[in-house]
């Protein structure tokens, strides 16, 4: 196996490496792990080969591999732990989950959660969600990133949206992070995709959260659209009387000109005053008092004008 790594042509090296891994017995694995460690120590990383080794060991002898990792964590590293748990979860979800649950506060936990999340998502998406839902909120968020990413990869954007809409409502931390992962993926697809996704789900719990509203607006803009129709709908459905300019000022900071263009086209919308005032607030913070004053003159509500810094 060491000799196979000496080929500088990557395709040839990988072909020989995979052929050798196919015949690897569990008893061979510790020596291979030590050899890869020694190669890494002299600057030969062999990232794909290492990943495939740990996935293979996780398939042929997951318990032995897991015991070795816990005794020699420096040899596996985060990548090895991730690959091992992913392979194990794909073949034996219950066994992989049990190993993870025994980790406690081990420094291996984050890498193990990543691998477990990806493996469960690809072997049994429903089991992956059930597993994540039982985690503390912080870990639910982390698991959602891995699980949603795998779901999008395997199902595509349309399939992932259908999966998302069937998520149980009693896992709000998981759901809101999955919504973020989906919107980020949609932002790289057809223009308007994020806006369509966000508008269709305004009744879902995550849509009521200010941080998620901000994120959705930013993804709509990244997706090539104007976020202001979304801002208007959100302000109508989820008003924030204690901070009436927080949303509009945050979004206007991304692109103040788009805010002004929307206000020009929608002078009588319920949100226009707040959008103009929020944009004026952005200009004031950026040292542009003249531009701010021009916008504040258009704000009809004196109280709103005063909130933005006008007289």
């Amino acid at each position: 196996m060491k000799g196979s790594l000496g080929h500088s042509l990557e395709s040839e090296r990988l072909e020989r490496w995979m052929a050798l891994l196919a015949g690897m017995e569990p008893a061979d694995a510790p020596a291979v792990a030590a050899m890869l460690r020694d190669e890494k120590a002299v600057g030969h990383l062999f990232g794909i080969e290492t990943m495939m080794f740990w996935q293979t060991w996780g398939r042929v002898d997951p318990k032995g591999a897991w015991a070795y990792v816990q005794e020699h964590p420096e040899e596996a590293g985060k990548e090895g732990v991730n690959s091992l748990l992913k392979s194990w979860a794909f073949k034996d979800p219950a066994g992989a989950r049990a190993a993870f649950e025994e980790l406690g506060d081990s420094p291996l936990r984050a890498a193990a959660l990543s691998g477990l999340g990806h493996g469960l998502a690809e072997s049994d998406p429903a089991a992956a969600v059930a597993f994540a839902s039982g985690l503390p909120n912080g870990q639910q968020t982390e698991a959602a990133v891995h699980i949603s990413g795998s779901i999008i990869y395997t199902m595509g954007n349309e399939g992932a949206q259908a999966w998302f809409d069937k998520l149980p409502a009693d896992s709000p931390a998981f759901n809101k992070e999955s919504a973020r992962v989906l919107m980020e993926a949609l932002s790289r697809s057809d223009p308007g995709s994020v806006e369509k996704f966000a508008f269709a789900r305004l009744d879902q719990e995550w849509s009521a959260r200010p941080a998620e509203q901000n994120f959705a607006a930013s993804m709509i803009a990244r997706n090539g659209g104007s976020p202001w129709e979304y801002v208007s709908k959100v302000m109508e459905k989820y008003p924030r009387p204690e901070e009436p300019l927080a949303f509009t000022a945050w979004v206007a900071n991304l692109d103040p000109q788009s805010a002004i263009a929307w206000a020009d086209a929608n002078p009588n919308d319920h949100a226009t005053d707040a959008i103009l005032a929020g944009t004026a607030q952005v200009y004031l913070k950026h040292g542009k008092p003249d531009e701010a004053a021009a916008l504040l003159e258009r704000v009809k509500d004196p109280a709103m004008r005063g909130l933005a810094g006008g007289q």
Side-chain angles (χ1 to χ4, degrees):
M1 294 189 84
K2 181 175 175 63
S4 75
L5 295 177
H7 291 276
S8 59
L9 183 63
E10 290 82 358
S11 59
E12 179 74 12
R13 183 172 72 235
L14 282 171
E15 183 178 352
R16 295 191 180 196
W17 181 256
M18 292 304 297
L20 289 165
L21 281 180
M24 187 182 79
E25 297 289 338
D28 302 325
V32 180
M35 183 263 289
L36 287 169
R37 175 203 62 204
D38 293 342
E39 291 291 330
K40 184 177 181 179
V42 295
H44 302 155
L45 302 183
F46 298 116
I48 296 176
E49 291 86 350
T50 301
M51 175 186 70
M52 297 309 301
F53 161 70
W54 286 105
Q55 287 191 358
T56 300
W57 198 0
R59 185 180 71 250
V60 301
D61 180 24
K63 292 183 179 180
W66 188 238
Y68 186 89
V69 161
Q70 293 185 83
E71 292 178 9
H72 308 278
E74 74 288 346
E75 291 191 10
K78 294 179 181 178
E79 296 80 5
V81 172
N82 185 318
S83 298
L84 165 58
L85 262 293
K86 181 177 181 179
S87 178
W88 192 355
F90 195 83
K91 179 184 177 183
D92 175 18
R97 282 185 60 173
F100 174 81
E101 289 164 1
E102 293 171 0
L103 271 176
D105 295 329
S106 166
L108 301 176
R109 191 175 181 87
L113 178 58
S114 172
L116 181 60
H118 285 295
L120 288 175
E122 294 183 23
S123 61
D124 188 342
V129 175
F131 158 71
S133 299
L135 295 170
N137 278 1
Q139 289 182 31
Q140 275 194 39
T141 298
E142 188 178 349
V145 173
H146 304 308
I147 293 169
S148 301
S150 283
I151 294 293
I152 292 168
Y153 184 82
T154 56
M155 295 185 178
N157 289 340
E158 291 298 322
Q161 288 180 71
W163 165 82
F164 175 81
D165 288 333
K166 294 177 183 176
L167 290 176
D170 59 355
S171 302
F174 183 92
N175 293 5
K176 69 94 176 171
E177 197 62 32
S178 295
R180 284 192 170 221
V181 174
L182 257 170
M183 286 189 285
E184 200 279 332
L186 289 169
S187 74
R188 301 189 298 272
S189 62
D190 295 336
S193 297
V194 179
E195 188 172 6
K196 182 179 178 181
F197 175 88
F199 268 110
R201 293 158 181 84
L202 281 174
D203 290 331
Q204 294 183 359
E205 190 273 346
W206 63 270
S207 287
R209 302 184 180 196
E212 308 318 311
Q213 294 164 2
N214 291 349
F215 185 82
S218 68
M219 290 298 103
I220 290 171
R222 182 193 288 186
N223 191 218
S226 169
W228 296 105
E229 197 65 34
Y230 172 76
V231 169
S232 174
K233 295 293 185 185
V234 166
M235 291 182 68
E236 184 176 27
K237 189 172 182 65
Y238 301 110
R240 306 185 204 172
E242 73 286 355
E243 45 177 16
L245 297 185
F247 191 25
T248 59
W250 192 93
V251 181
N253 195 55
L254 301 174
D255 183 1
Q257 288 301 315
S258 74
I260 297 169
W262 191 89
D264 290 343
N266 299 273
N268 298 316
D269 189 87
H270 74 95
T272 298
D273 267 4
I275 289 171
L276 288 170
T279 308
Q281 197 173 64
V282 169
Y283 278 144
L284 285 170
K285 288 181 179 179
H286 286 81
K288 297 180 178 180
D290 294 340
E291 290 90 335
L295 292 179
L296 289 173
E297 287 180 3
R298 298 171 55 184
V299 176
K300 300 171 186 176
D301 182 356
M304 190 75 68
R305 193 182 310 126
L307 283 171
Q311 301 299 319

